[in-house]
Amino acid sequence: EAILTRLDKLDEVSKDLVQMLAVVEVASTHALERLSLMDTEQVKLVTDQLVARGIVIQAGGLFQFSPPYVREVIYETIPPPVR
């Protein structure tokens, strides 16, 4: 529930990006730009917020969820046809 509460507090752009990351599991900034159709500045702003909120981590230039169950909870919020 705490994860879903944090997710509910995100704006729509951040929610969309975090759900995209939940589908691909691990992604670079460049991959997130391509998936989201956002520019570098937008992706950086959103990912910085997600890291600051403890939703994702950045390691070795890649964004991912830690611990992994956070990804699973977020993934389950995405309707199957969208995944």
Side-chain angles (χ1 to χ4, degrees), residues 5-67:
T5 301
R6 287 193 291 175
L7 188 63
D8 286 340
K9 292 179 181 178
L10 297 175
D11 60 68
E12 288 304 311
V13 173
S14 298
K15 277 185 195 176
D16 288 347
L17 193 71
V18 82
Q19 287 178 330
M20 287 177 206
L21 183 57
V23 171
V24 297
E25 297 186 37
V26 176
S28 66
T29 300
H30 181 71
L32 292 173
E33 289 170 20
R34 293 183 66 193
L35 285 169
S36 67
L37 304 178
M38 288 192 275
D39 64 33
T40 303
E41 285 291 317
Q42 290 172 306
V43 170
K44 181 167 177 18
L45 179 67
V46 173
T47 53
D48 284 352
Q49 291 174 1
L50 295 173
V51 169
R53 291 174 185 240
I55 297 172
V56 301
I57 61 168
Q58 183 178 18
L62 299 174
F63 293 94
Q64 60 191 349
F65 296 93
S66 180

Side-chain angles (χ1 to χ4, degrees), residues 58-77:
Q58 183 178 18
L62 299 174
F63 293 94
Q64 60 191 349
F65 296 93
S66 180
Y69 70 82
V70 173
R71 180 207 159 266
E72 294 168 13
V73 170
I74 293 171
Y75 183 83
E76 291 302 318
T77 68

